[in-house]
Amino acid sequence: QVRLVESGGGLVQAGGSLRLSCAASGRIFSIGDMGWYRQVPRKQRALVASMSNGGSPNYADSVKERFTISRDNAKNTVYLQMNSLKPEDTAVYYCKALMFGETDIAPRDYWGQGTQVTVSS
């Protein structure tokens, strides 16, 4: 079964850092874009950062210069290094990947289960 598993969330003080990881597992034929989204209560899930298979990053304006996305294609893993964290970064962070699994008829988006990031002031 193809799935995404996130790790690395937690509680940190403002100005601190966290690193999130998201690993894809299962029988996967291909992986395209991978990225991170975040969601706070009563708001829609919003893009934080994404990266193409070729390594081109894309960031939300609110995290530019503070967050860095990277991926290890050999490990089917995407990372999000978050520095200079602010209380407004508090959210549940979700990993998303465009994958073609063995039971799929076409590539589709897969989501992780989410990991809580809390930044205290």
Side-chain angles (χ1 to χ4, degrees), residues 36 49 59 63 65-70 79-83:
W36 293 93
Y59 295 98
V63 307
E65 309 300 329
R66 299 189 299 121
F67 291 9
T68 302
I69 188 171
S70 61
Y79 306 95
L80 186 67
Q81 178 66 44
M82 304 185 292
N83 298 330

Side-chain angles (χ1 to χ4, degrees), residues 95-113:
C95 172
K96 188 182 85 166
L98 179 65
M99 299 193 290
F100 193 359
E102 67 170 344
T103 60
D104 295 325
I105 59 174
R108 69 175 182 90
D109 286 333
Y110 283 80
W111 289 90
Q113 80 282 3

